Amino acid sequence: MTEQTAPTSDADGPSTGATTRGEQTRQLILDTAMRLFRERGYTRTTMRAIAQEAGVAVGNAYYYFGSKEHLIQGFYADTQHEQRAAAAPLLDRERDFAARLAGVLHAGVDVLTPYHSFAATFFKTAAEPTSPLSPFSAESSGPREASVALFREVVEGSDARLDAELRPALPELLWLAYMGVVLYWVHDRSPEQVKTRQLIDGVVPLVDRLVGLSRLRVLRPVTRQALALIHTLRH
């Protein structure tokens, strides 16, 4: 087994070479873990097995990821980054709100698709309110905030005209809707999860319609009540 050292720094600051090696080692461990999760299942894959397969010392594996749960947090962060990259060409050229939202949601499913076979296993753990794998946990705050930021980009880069008070809350509401899509995807046993794609294509026009209707004076009291309820539940 070849041991790879963790990043080091000197008095003048971090060493670029060491940092690069550290990033490569971290990504190697994460990629190896994801492959083993697919091949063996989440519960049957140990940190020791991941380290052995990656060719690093067990201590090194724990240096970068303190547990399998930390590996899943790394997975969350990586998939969110990949989702943003996959959606970037569409977001750069498209201003229609519905098209932007559909593109980001489909990009999310595209990125997750290779992991569908074992997703249900760790989502059982993520469903526990106290689990660090929960998308609502403090441990998941980084990927969660990055995902909300992506939906903020969907809104701010669009030509959608919506209620001014709804605008700042809409990205988080869209993220919650995305969590619903992901949950459906986890349980979707249709070929290539085609029903999840159909869900996205059916829901996006409804969301687009509701966003547009939010500007109507007659619906503003309803919008205010909904936002007040969300604020109460959050705080």
Side-chain angles (χ1 to χ4, degrees):
M1 181 183 300
T2 302
E3 182 173 347
Q4 300 186 37
T5 57
T8 59
S9 61
D10 54 28
D12 296 324
S15 166
T16 302
T19 300
T20 300
R21 289 195 299 275
E23 291 171 350
Q24 291 173 345
T25 301
R26 179 190 179 279
Q27 193 62 49
L28 171 64
I29 295 168
L30 181 58
D31 291 344
T32 301
M34 293 303 107
R35 176 171 59 81
L36 293 181
F37 290 162
R38 291 196 302 270
E39 295 174 357
R40 306 179 185 181
Y42 177 71
T43 56
R44 295 178 59 191
T45 302
T46 65
M47 288 293 288
R48 181 173 295 278
I50 293 167
Q52 183 175 8
E53 192 75 11
V56 303
V58 176
N60 251 20
Y62 277 109
Y63 175 88
Y64 291 99
F65 300 97
S67 66
K68 287 200 298 183
E69 286 77 12
H70 287 88
L71 280 162
I72 296 301
Q73 294 296 342
F75 167 72
Y76 287 165
D78 277 11
T79 53
Q80 196 287 320
H81 178 75
E82 290 173 19
Q83 180 186 12
R84 171 65 185 82
L90 181 141
L91 294 177
D92 288 343
R93 70 173 184 270
E94 184 63 69
R95 292 292 170 263
D96 179 72
F97 171 74
R100 290 170 69 85
L101 178 58
V104 166
L105 294 177
H106 279 295
V109 174
D110 289 340
V111 168
L112 290 173
T113 292
Y115 308 101
H116 188 264
S117 61
F118 77 91
T121 304
F122 69 76
F123 268 96
K124 289 179 183 177
T125 304
E128 292 290 334
T130 58
S131 171
L133 299 187
S134 168
F136 303 97
S137 70
E139 292 85 351
S140 298
S141 62
R144 179 174 64 249
E145 291 168 4
S147 189
V148 171
L150 176 57
F151 286 106
R152 185 174 299 111
E153 186 175 351
V154 168
V155 176
E156 297 302 329
S158 76
D159 56 10
R161 302 176 65 187
L162 63 152
D163 182 87
E165 291 190 33
L166 175 62
R167 182 177 290 274
L170 186 56
E172 186 169 1
L173 294 175
L174 295 177
W175 174 77
L176 289 171
Y178 175 56
M179 290 297 97
V181 170
V182 171
L183 180 62
Y184 185 90
W185 170 83
V186 168
H187 296 281
D188 187 359
R189 293 296 179 264
S190 62
E192 299 181 353
Q193 296 78 59
V194 65
K195 288 187 177 180
T196 301
R197 305 290 188 171
Q198 293 171 345
L199 174 66
I200 292 172
D201 292 338
V203 165
V204 166
L206 294 176
V207 173
D208 184 37
R209 180 67 171 163
L210 289 172
V211 167
L213 290 174
S214 71
R215 295 177 58 249
L216 297 180
R217 186 180 300 274
V218 68
L219 291 180
R220 286 179 182 172
V222 177
T223 302
R224 303 296 185 277
Q225 289 176 357
L227 292 175
L229 176 59
I230 293 169
H231 182 271
T232 299
L233 293 174
R234 288 182 60 189
H235 298 281

